[in-house]
Amino acid sequence: MTTCIFCKIIAREIPCTPVFENEHLIAIDDISPVAPVHKLIIPKKHISTLNDLTAEDIPLIGHLLSTGTHLAKTLKIDQDGYRLVENCNAGAGQTVYHVHFHLLGGRTFHWPPG
Ligand code: AMP
Ligand code: ZN
């Protein structure tokens, strides 16, 4: 039995309405959005943090990123601008230890992020 909340979502032990899904990944709405568009792009393979990636995961990461750019276009945030963010470990704000990209858009972001 997994205790990982994203693995539970992928296994549908927790219900969700995916915005996109294929054999490699699932994209869902973030439960606590910080922007008008806030999707999570989650690999079906459990990888705890970016630090745990191996060479065999490189195509998967490309797949996650290209899904993010595809969703940005579909959601029409690509021209105004968007962020694809991955938080690695607690100091960067990671709270769910299953690699995922945040797709953020629909408002203006500032740099540096603070
Ligand atoms: P991070 O802090 O980068 O690990 O991001 C984890 C994200 O998962 C946060 O933005 C949470 O709001 C989101 N989250 C946690 N539980 C759920 C859930 N059950 N469904 C959707 N998003 C969730
Ligand atoms: Zn997991």
Side-chain angles (χ1 to χ4, degrees), residues 8-88:
K8 287 185 175 186
I9 287 171
I10 290 159
R12 298 301 202 279
E13 291 169 31
I14 297 172
C16 74
T17 306
V19 293
F20 182 80
E21 183 171 18
N22 64 22
E23 63 182 309
H24 302 294
L25 62 87
I26 189 169
I28 61 171
D29 285 306
D30 196 291
I31 203 169
S32 302
V34 299
V37 174
H38 190 170
K39 312 294 181 190
L40 300 174
I41 305 159
I42 307 168
K44 291 191 172 178
K45 177 181 179 182
H46 180 94
I47 306 166
S48 296
T49 79
L50 283 187
N51 292 333
D52 301 301
L53 292 176
T54 63
E56 74 169 21
D57 299 319
I58 291 171
L60 177 61
I61 295 303
H63 203 56
L64 295 166
L65 288 173
S66 65
T67 299
T69 62
H70 173 76
L71 281 176
K73 290 173 186 163
T74 303
L75 296 166
K76 301 191 186 312
I77 56 172
D78 56 313
Q79 293 304 309
D80 283 344
Y82 60 90
R83 283 190 177 166
L84 273 169
V85 175
E86 218 291 343
N87 299 321
C88 182

Coordinates of all heavy atoms in Angstrom, one line a residue, residues 8-88:
K8 N -1.8 7.5 -5.2 CA -3.2 7.2 -4.9 C -4.1 7.8 -5.9 O -5.1 7.2 -6.3 CB -3.6 7.7 -3.5 CG -3.0 6.9 -2.4 CD -3.5 7.3 -1.0 CE -3.0 6.3 0.0 NZ -3.5 6.5 1.3
I9 N -3.8 9.1 -6.4 CA -4.6 9.7 -7.4 C -4.5 8.9 -8.7 O -5.5 8.7 -9.4 CB -4.2 11.2 -7.6 CG1 -4.7 12.0 -6.4 CG2 -4.7 11.8 -8.9 CD1 -4.2 13.4 -6.3
I10 N -3.2 8.5 -9.0 CA -3.0 7.8 -10.3 C -3.7 6.5 -10.3 O -4.3 6.0 -11.3 CB -1.4 7.6 -10.5 CG1 -0.8 8.9 -10.8 CG2 -1.1 6.6 -11.5 CD1 0.7 9.0 -10.5
A11 N -3.8 5.8 -9.1 CA -4.5 4.5 -8.9 C -6.0 4.7 -8.8 O -6.7 3.7 -8.6 CB -3.9 3.8 -7.7
R12 N -6.4 6.0 -8.7 CA -7.9 6.3 -8.5 C -8.4 5.9 -7.2 O -9.6 5.7 -7.0 CB -8.7 5.7 -9.6 CG -8.4 6.2 -11.0 CD -8.5 7.8 -11.1 NE -8.7 8.3 -12.4 CZ -7.7 8.5 -13.3 NH1 -6.5 8.2 -13.0 NH2 -8.0 9.0 -14.5
E13 N -7.4 5.7 -6.2 CA -7.9 5.5 -4.8 C -8.4 6.8 -4.3 O -9.2 6.8 -3.4 CB -6.7 5.0 -3.9 CG -6.3 3.6 -4.3 CD -5.0 3.2 -3.6 OE1 -4.7 3.7 -2.5 OE2 -4.2 2.4 -4.2
I14 N -8.0 7.9 -4.9 CA -8.5 9.2 -4.6 C -9.1 9.7 -6.0 O -8.4 9.7 -7.0 CB -7.5 10.2 -4.1 CG1 -6.9 9.8 -2.8 CG2 -8.0 11.6 -4.1 CD1 -5.7 10.6 -2.3
P15 N -10.4 10.0 -6.0 CA -11.0 10.4 -7.3 C -10.4 11.7 -7.8 O -10.0 12.6 -7.0 CB -12.5 10.6 -7.0 CG -12.7 10.2 -5.6 CD -11.3 10.1 -4.9
C16 N -10.3 11.9 -9.1 CA -9.9 13.1 -9.8 C -10.4 13.2 -11.2 O -10.9 12.2 -11.7 CB -8.4 13.2 -9.8 SG -7.6 12.2 -11.0
T17 N -10.5 14.4 -11.7 CA -10.9 14.6 -13.1 C -9.7 15.1 -13.8 O -9.3 16.3 -13.8 CB -12.0 15.6 -13.2 OG1 -13.1 15.2 -12.3 CG2 -12.5 15.7 -14.6
P18 N -9.0 14.2 -14.5 CA -7.7 14.6 -15.2 C -8.0 15.6 -16.3 O -9.0 15.5 -17.0 CB -7.2 13.3 -15.8 CG -8.0 12.2 -15.3 CD -9.2 12.7 -14.8
V19 N -7.1 16.5 -16.5 CA -7.2 17.4 -17.7 C -6.5 16.8 -18.8 O -6.7 17.2 -20.0 CB -6.7 18.8 -17.4 CG1 -7.6 19.5 -16.4 CG2 -5.3 18.8 -16.9
F20 N -5.6 15.8 -18.6 CA -4.9 15.1 -19.6 C -4.4 13.8 -18.9 O -4.0 13.9 -17.8 CB -3.8 15.9 -20.2 CG -3.0 15.2 -21.3 CD1 -3.6 15.1 -22.6 CD2 -1.8 14.5 -21.1 CE1 -2.9 14.4 -23.6 CE2 -1.2 13.8 -22.1 CZ -1.7 13.8 -23.4
E21 N -4.3 12.7 -19.7 CA -3.8 11.5 -19.2 C -3.3 10.6 -20.3 O -4.0 10.6 -21.4 CB -4.8 10.7 -18.3 CG -4.2 9.5 -17.7 CD -5.2 8.8 -16.7 OE1 -6.4 9.2 -16.7 OE2 -4.7 8.0 -15.9
N22 N -2.1 10.0 -20.2 CA -1.7 8.9 -21.1 C -1.0 7.9 -20.3 O -1.0 7.9 -19.1 CB -0.9 9.5 -22.3 CG 0.4 10.1 -21.9 OD1 0.9 9.8 -20.8 ND2 0.9 11.0 -22.7
E23 N -0.3 7.0 -21.0 CA 0.3 5.9 -20.2 C 1.5 6.3 -19.3 O 1.8 5.6 -18.4 CB 0.9 4.8 -21.2 CG 1.9 5.4 -22.1 CD 2.4 4.3 -23.2 OE1 2.8 3.2 -22.7 OE2 2.5 4.7 -24.3
H24 N 2.0 7.5 -19.6 CA 3.2 8.0 -18.8 C 2.9 9.0 -17.7 O 3.6 9.1 -16.8 CB 4.2 8.7 -19.8 CG 4.6 7.8 -20.9 ND1 5.4 6.7 -20.7 CD2 4.4 7.9 -22.2 CE1 5.7 6.2 -21.9 NE2 5.1 6.9 -22.8
L25 N 1.8 9.7 -17.8 CA 1.5 10.8 -16.9 C 0.1 11.2 -16.8 O -0.8 10.7 -17.6 CB 2.3 12.1 -17.4 CG 1.9 12.6 -18.8 CD1 0.8 13.6 -18.7 CD2 3.1 13.2 -19.5
I26 N -0.2 12.0 -15.8 CA -1.6 12.5 -15.6 C -1.4 14.0 -15.3 O -0.4 14.4 -14.6 CB -2.3 11.7 -14.5 CG1 -3.8 12.1 -14.4 CG2 -1.6 11.9 -13.1 CD1 -4.6 11.2 -13.5
A27 N -2.3 14.8 -15.7 CA -2.4 16.2 -15.4 C -3.7 16.5 -14.7 O -4.8 16.1 -15.2 CB -2.2 17.1 -16.6
I28 N -3.6 17.2 -13.6 CA -4.8 17.5 -12.8 C -4.8 18.9 -12.3 O -3.8 19.6 -12.3 CB -5.0 16.6 -11.6 CG1 -3.8 16.8 -10.6 CG2 -5.1 15.1 -12.0 CD1 -3.9 16.0 -9.3
D29 N -6.0 19.4 -11.9 CA -6.0 20.7 -11.3 C -5.4 20.7 -9.9 O -5.6 19.7 -9.1 CB -7.5 21.2 -11.1 CG -8.0 21.6 -12.4 OD1 -7.4 22.5 -13.1 OD2 -9.1 21.1 -12.8
D30 N -4.6 21.7 -9.5 CA -4.1 21.8 -8.2 C -5.2 22.1 -7.2 O -6.1 22.9 -7.5 CB -3.0 22.8 -8.0 CG -2.2 22.7 -6.8 OD1 -2.7 22.9 -5.7 OD2 -1.0 22.3 -6.9
I31 N -5.2 21.4 -6.0 CA -6.3 21.6 -5.1 C -6.3 22.9 -4.4 O -7.3 23.4 -3.9 CB -6.3 20.4 -4.0 CG1 -7.6 20.2 -3.4 CG2 -5.2 20.7 -3.0 CD1 -7.7 18.9 -2.5
S32 N -5.1 23.6 -4.4 CA -5.0 24.9 -3.8 C -4.3 25.8 -4.8 O -3.1 26.2 -4.6 CB -4.1 24.9 -2.5 OG -4.7 24.0 -1.6
P33 N -5.0 26.3 -5.8 CA -4.4 27.0 -6.9 C -3.8 28.3 -6.4 O -4.4 29.0 -5.6 CB -5.5 27.2 -7.9 CG -6.8 27.0 -7.1 CD -6.5 26.1 -6.0
V34 N -2.6 28.7 -7.0 CA -2.0 29.9 -6.7 C -2.0 30.9 -7.9 O -1.4 31.9 -7.9 CB -0.5 29.8 -6.1 CG1 -0.5 29.0 -4.9 CG2 0.3 29.1 -7.2
A35 N -2.7 30.5 -8.9 CA -2.9 31.3 -10.1 C -4.2 30.8 -10.8 O -4.7 29.7 -10.5 CB -1.7 31.0 -11.1
P36 N -4.7 31.6 -11.7 CA -6.0 31.3 -12.4 C -5.8 29.9 -13.1 O -6.8 29.2 -13.1 CB -6.2 32.4 -13.3 CG -5.6 33.6 -12.6 CD -4.3 33.1 -12.0
V37 N -4.7 29.7 -13.7 CA -4.4 28.3 -14.2 C -3.3 27.7 -13.3 O -2.2 28.3 -13.2 CB -3.9 28.4 -15.7 CG1 -3.4 27.0 -16.2 CG2 -4.9 29.0 -16.6
H38 N -3.6 26.6 -12.7 CA -2.6 25.9 -11.9 C -2.9 24.4 -12.1 O -3.8 23.8 -11.4 CB -2.7 26.3 -10.4 CG -1.6 25.8 -9.6 ND1 -1.4 26.2 -8.3 CD2 -0.6 24.8 -9.8 CE1 -0.3 25.6 -7.8 NE2 0.1 24.7 -8.7
K39 N -2.2 23.8 -13.0 CA -2.3 22.3 -13.2 C -1.0 21.7 -12.7 O 0.1 22.3 -12.6 CB -2.4 22.0 -14.7 CG -3.4 22.9 -15.5 CD -4.8 22.6 -15.0 CE -5.8 23.4 -15.8 NZ -7.1 23.3 -15.3
L40 N -1.1 20.4 -12.3 CA 0.0 19.6 -11.9 C 0.2 18.5 -13.0 O -0.8 17.8 -13.4 CB -0.3 18.9 -10.6 CG -0.5 19.9 -9.4 CD1 -0.9 19.0 -8.2 CD2 0.7 20.7 -9.1
I41 N 1.4 18.4 -13.4 CA 1.8 17.3 -14.4 C 2.6 16.3 -13.7 O 3.7 16.6 -13.3 CB 2.5 18.0 -15.6 CG1 1.6 19.1 -16.2 CG2 2.8 16.9 -16.7 CD1 2.4 20.1 -17.0
I42 N 2.1 15.1 -13.6 CA 2.6 14.1 -12.7 C 2.9 12.8 -13.4 O 2.1 12.2 -14.1 CB 1.5 13.8 -11.6 CG1 1.0 15.1 -10.9 CG2 2.1 12.8 -10.6 CD1 -0.2 14.8 -10.0
P43 N 4.2 12.4 -13.3 CA 4.5 11.1 -14.0 C 3.8 9.9 -13.2 O 3.7 10.0 -12.0 CB 6.0 11.0 -13.9 CG 6.3 11.8 -12.6 CD 5.3 12.9 -12.6
K44 N 3.4 8.9 -14.0 CA 2.8 7.7 -13.3 C 3.9 6.9 -12.5 O 3.6 6.2 -11.6 CB 2.1 6.9 -14.3 CG 0.9 7.6 -14.8 CD -0.1 6.7 -15.6 CE -1.4 7.5 -15.9 NZ -2.3 6.7 -16.7
K45 N 5.2 7.1 -12.9 CA 6.2 6.4 -12.2 C 6.5 7.2 -10.9 O 6.7 8.5 -11.0 CB 7.5 6.4 -13.0 CG 8.7 5.8 -12.4 CD 9.9 5.8 -13.3 CE 11.2 5.2 -12.6 NZ 12.4 5.3 -13.4
H46 N 6.6 6.6 -9.8 CA 6.9 7.3 -8.5 C 8.4 7.6 -8.5 O 9.2 6.6 -8.4 CB 6.5 6.5 -7.3 CG 6.8 7.2 -6.0 ND1 5.9 8.0 -5.4 CD2 8.0 7.2 -5.3 CE1 6.5 8.5 -4.3 NE2 7.8 8.1 -4.2
I47 N 8.7 8.9 -8.5 CA 10.1 9.3 -8.3 C 10.0 10.4 -7.2 O 9.2 11.3 -7.4 CB 10.7 9.9 -9.6 CG1 10.6 8.9 -10.8 CG2 12.1 10.4 -9.4 CD1 10.8 9.6 -12.1
S48 N 10.7 10.3 -6.1 CA 10.5 11.2 -5.0 C 10.8 12.6 -5.3 O 10.0 13.5 -5.0 CB 11.2 10.7 -3.8 OG 10.8 9.4 -3.4
T49 N 12.0 12.9 -5.8 CA 12.5 14.2 -6.0 C 13.3 14.3 -7.3 O 13.7 13.2 -7.8 CB 13.4 14.8 -4.9 OG1 14.7 14.2 -5.0 CG2 12.8 14.5 -3.5
L50 N 13.6 15.5 -7.8 CA 14.4 15.6 -9.0 C 15.8 14.9 -8.7 O 16.4 14.4 -9.6 CB 14.7 17.1 -9.3 CG 13.6 17.8 -10.0 CD1 14.1 19.2 -10.4 CD2 13.1 17.1 -11.3
N51 N 16.2 14.9 -7.5 CA 17.5 14.3 -7.1 C 17.6 12.8 -7.4 O 18.6 12.2 -7.5 CB 17.9 14.6 -5.7 CG 18.2 16.0 -5.4 OD1 18.6 16.8 -6.3 ND2 17.9 16.4 -4.1
D52 N 16.4 12.2 -7.5 CA 16.3 10.8 -7.7 C 16.2 10.3 -9.1 O 16.0 9.1 -9.4 CB 15.1 10.2 -6.8 CG 15.3 10.6 -5.4 OD1 16.3 10.1 -4.8 OD2 14.4 11.3 -4.8
L53 N 16.2 11.3 -10.0 CA 16.1 11.0 -11.5 C 17.3 10.1 -11.9 O 18.4 10.4 -11.4 CB 16.0 12.2 -12.3 CG 14.8 13.1 -12.2 CD1 15.0 14.3 -13.1 CD2 13.6 12.3 -12.7
T54 N 17.1 9.2 -12.8 CA 18.2 8.4 -13.4 C 18.2 8.7 -14.9 O 17.2 9.3 -15.4 CB 18.0 6.9 -13.1 OG1 16.8 6.5 -13.7 CG2 17.9 6.6 -11.6
A55 N 19.2 8.2 -15.5 CA 19.3 8.4 -17.0 C 18.1 7.9 -17.7 O 17.6 8.5 -18.7 CB 20.6 7.7 -17.5
E56 N 17.5 6.8 -17.2 CA 16.3 6.3 -17.9 C 15.1 7.2 -17.8 O 14.1 7.0 -18.6 CB 16.0 4.9 -17.4 CG 15.3 4.8 -16.0 CD 14.8 3.4 -15.6 OE1 15.2 2.4 -16.2 OE2 13.9 3.4 -14.7
D57 N 15.1 8.1 -16.9 CA 14.0 9.0 -16.7 C 14.0 10.3 -17.6 O 13.1 11.0 -17.7 CB 13.9 9.5 -15.3 CG 13.7 8.4 -14.3 OD1 12.9 7.5 -14.6 OD2 14.4 8.4 -13.2
I58 N 15.1 10.4 -18.4 CA 15.3 11.6 -19.2 C 14.2 11.8 -20.2 O 13.6 12.9 -20.3 CB 16.7 11.7 -19.8 CG1 17.8 11.9 -18.8 CG2 16.8 12.8 -20.9 CD1 19.2 11.8 -19.2
P59 N 13.8 10.7 -20.9 CA 12.7 10.9 -21.9 C 11.4 11.2 -21.2 O 10.6 12.0 -21.7 CB 12.6 9.5 -22.6 CG 13.9 8.9 -22.4 CD 14.4 9.4 -21.1
L60 N 11.2 10.7 -20.0 CA 9.9 11.0 -19.2 C 9.9 12.5 -18.9 O 8.8 13.1 -19.0 CB 9.9 10.1 -18.0 CG 8.7 10.3 -17.0 CD1 7.4 10.0 -17.7 CD2 8.9 9.4 -15.8
I61 N 11.0 13.0 -18.4 CA 11.0 14.5 -18.1 C 10.7 15.3 -19.3 O 9.9 16.3 -19.3 CB 12.4 14.9 -17.5 CG1 12.6 14.1 -16.1 CG2 12.4 16.4 -17.3 CD1 11.5 14.3 -15.1
G62 N 11.2 14.9 -20.5 CA 10.9 15.6 -21.7 C 9.4 15.5 -22.0 O 8.8 16.5 -22.5
H63 N 8.8 14.4 -21.7 CA 7.4 14.2 -22.0 C 6.6 15.1 -21.0 O 5.6 15.6 -21.5 CB 7.1 12.7 -21.7 CG 5.9 12.2 -22.4 ND1 5.7 12.3 -23.8 CD2 4.8 11.6 -21.9 CE1 4.6 11.8 -24.1 NE2 4.0 11.4 -23.0
L64 N 7.0 15.2 -19.8 CA 6.3 16.0 -18.8 C 6.3 17.5 -19.3 O 5.3 18.2 -19.3 CB 6.9 15.9 -17.4 CG 6.8 14.6 -16.8 CD1 7.7 14.5 -15.5 CD2 5.3 14.3 -16.3
L65 N 7.5 17.9 -19.7 CA 7.6 19.3 -20.2 C 6.9 19.6 -21.4 O 6.2 20.6 -21.6 CB 9.1 19.7 -20.4 CG 10.0 19.8 -19.1 CD1 11.4 20.0 -19.4 CD2 9.5 21.0 -18.2
S66 N 6.9 18.7 -22.4 CA 6.2 18.9 -23.6 C 4.7 18.9 -23.4 O 3.9 19.6 -24.1 CB 6.6 17.9 -24.7 OG 6.3 16.6 -24.4
T67 N 4.2 18.1 -22.4 CA 2.8 18.1 -22.1 C 2.5 19.5 -21.5 O 1.4 20.0 -21.7 CB 2.5 17.0 -21.1 OG1 2.8 15.7 -21.7 CG2 1.0 17.0 -20.6
G68 N 3.4 20.0 -20.6 CA 3.1 21.3 -20.1 C 3.0 22.4 -21.1 O 2.1 23.2 -21.1
T69 N 3.9 22.4 -22.1 CA 3.8 23.4 -23.2 C 2.5 23.2 -24.0 O 1.9 24.1 -24.4 CB 5.0 23.4 -24.1 OG1 5.1 22.2 -24.7 CG2 6.3 23.7 -23.3
H70 N 2.2 21.9 -24.2 CA 0.9 21.6 -25.0 C -0.3 22.1 -24.2 O -1.2 22.8 -24.8 CB 0.8 20.1 -25.2 CG -0.4 19.7 -25.9 ND1 -0.7 19.9 -27.2 CD2 -1.5 19.1 -25.3 CE1 -1.9 19.4 -27.5 NE2 -2.5 18.9 -26.3
L71 N -0.3 21.9 -22.9 CA -1.5 22.4 -22.1 C -1.5 23.9 -22.1 O -2.6 24.5 -22.2 CB -1.4 21.8 -20.7 CG -1.8 20.4 -20.4 CD1 -1.5 20.0 -19.0 CD2 -3.3 20.2 -20.8
A72 N -0.3 24.5 -22.0 CA -0.3 26.0 -22.0 C -0.9 26.5 -23.3 O -1.7 27.5 -23.2 CB 1.1 26.5 -21.9
K73 N -0.7 25.9 -24.4 CA -1.3 26.3 -25.7 C -2.8 26.1 -25.7 O -3.6 26.9 -26.0 CB -0.6 25.6 -26.9 CG 0.8 26.1 -27.1 CD 1.5 25.3 -28.2 CE 3.0 25.8 -28.2 NZ 3.8 24.8 -28.9
T74 N -3.2 24.9 -25.2 CA -4.6 24.5 -25.2 C -5.4 25.5 -24.3 O -6.5 25.9 -24.6 CB -4.7 23.1 -24.6 OG1 -4.0 22.2 -25.5 CG2 -6.2 22.7 -24.6
L75 N -4.7 25.9 -23.2 CA -5.4 26.8 -22.2 C -5.2 28.3 -22.5 O -5.6 29.1 -21.8 CB -4.9 26.5 -20.8 CG -5.2 25.0 -20.3 CD1 -4.4 24.7 -19.1 CD2 -6.7 24.9 -20.0
K76 N -4.5 28.5 -23.6 CA -4.3 29.9 -24.2 C -3.6 30.8 -23.2 O -3.9 32.0 -23.0 CB -5.6 30.5 -24.6 CG -6.3 29.6 -25.7 CD -7.5 30.4 -26.3 CE -8.3 29.5 -27.3 NZ -7.5 28.8 -28.3
I77 N -2.6 30.2 -22.5 CA -1.7 31.1 -21.6 C -0.3 31.2 -22.2 O 0.6 31.8 -21.6 CB -1.6 30.5 -20.2 CG1 -1.1 29.1 -20.2 CG2 -3.0 30.7 -19.5 CD1 -0.8 28.6 -18.8
D78 N -0.1 30.6 -23.4 CA 1.2 30.5 -24.0 C 1.7 31.8 -24.4 O 2.9 32.1 -24.3 CB 1.3 29.5 -25.1 CG 0.3 29.8 -26.2 OD1 -0.9 30.0 -25.9 OD2 0.6 29.7 -27.4
Q79 N 0.9 32.7 -24.9 CA 1.4 34.0 -25.5 C 1.6 35.0 -24.3 O 2.6 35.7 -24.4 CB 0.4 34.5 -26.5 CG 0.3 33.7 -27.8 CD 1.7 33.5 -28.4 OE1 2.4 34.4 -28.7 NE2 2.0 32.2 -28.7
D80 N 0.7 35.1 -23.4 CA 1.0 36.0 -22.2 C 2.1 35.5 -21.4 O 2.9 36.4 -20.8 CB -0.3 36.1 -21.4 CG -1.4 36.9 -22.0 OD1 -1.0 37.7 -22.9 OD2 -2.5 36.8 -21.6
G81 N 2.3 34.2 -21.2 CA 3.4 33.7 -20.4 C 2.9 32.7 -19.3 O 1.8 32.9 -18.8
Y82 N 3.8 31.8 -19.0 CA 3.4 30.8 -17.9 C 4.7 30.3 -17.3 O 5.8 30.6 -17.8 CB 2.6 29.7 -18.6 CG 3.4 28.9 -19.6 CD1 4.1 27.8 -19.4 CD2 3.3 29.3 -21.0 CE1 4.8 27.1 -20.3 CE2 3.9 28.6 -22.0 CZ 4.7 27.5 -21.7 OH 5.4 26.8 -22.6
R83 N 4.5 29.6 -16.2 CA 5.7 29.0 -15.6 C 5.5 27.5 -15.5 O 4.3 27.0 -15.2 CB 5.9 29.5 -14.2 CG 6.6 30.9 -14.2 CD 7.0 31.3 -12.8 NE 7.7 32.6 -13.0 CZ 8.0 33.4 -12.0 NH1 7.6 33.1 -10.7 NH2 8.6 34.5 -12.2
L84 N 6.5 26.7 -15.7 CA 6.6 25.3 -15.4 C 7.6 25.1 -14.3 O 8.8 25.4 -14.5 CB 7.0 24.5 -16.7 CG 5.9 24.1 -17.6 CD1 6.4 23.6 -18.9 CD2 5.0 23.1 -17.0
V85 N 7.1 24.8 -13.1 CA 8.0 24.8 -11.9 C 8.0 23.4 -11.3 O 7.0 22.7 -11.2 CB 7.3 25.8 -10.9 CG1 8.1 25.8 -9.6 CG2 7.2 27.2 -11.5
E86 N 9.2 23.1 -10.8 CA 9.4 21.9 -10.1 C 10.2 22.2 -8.8 O 11.3 22.7 -8.8 CB 10.3 20.8 -10.9 CG 9.8 19.4 -10.8 CD 10.1 18.8 -9.4 OE1 10.9 19.3 -8.6 OE2 9.5 17.7 -9.1
N87 N 9.5 22.0 -7.7 CA 10.2 22.3 -6.4 C 10.9 21.0 -5.9 O 10.3 20.0 -5.8 CB 9.1 22.7 -5.4 CG 8.4 23.9 -5.8 OD1 8.9 24.9 -6.3 ND2 7.0 23.9 -5.6
C88 N 12.2 21.1 -5.6 CA 13.0 20.0 -5.2 C 13.4 20.2 -3.7 O 14.1 21.1 -3.4 CB 14.2 19.8 -6.0 SG 15.2 18.4 -5.5

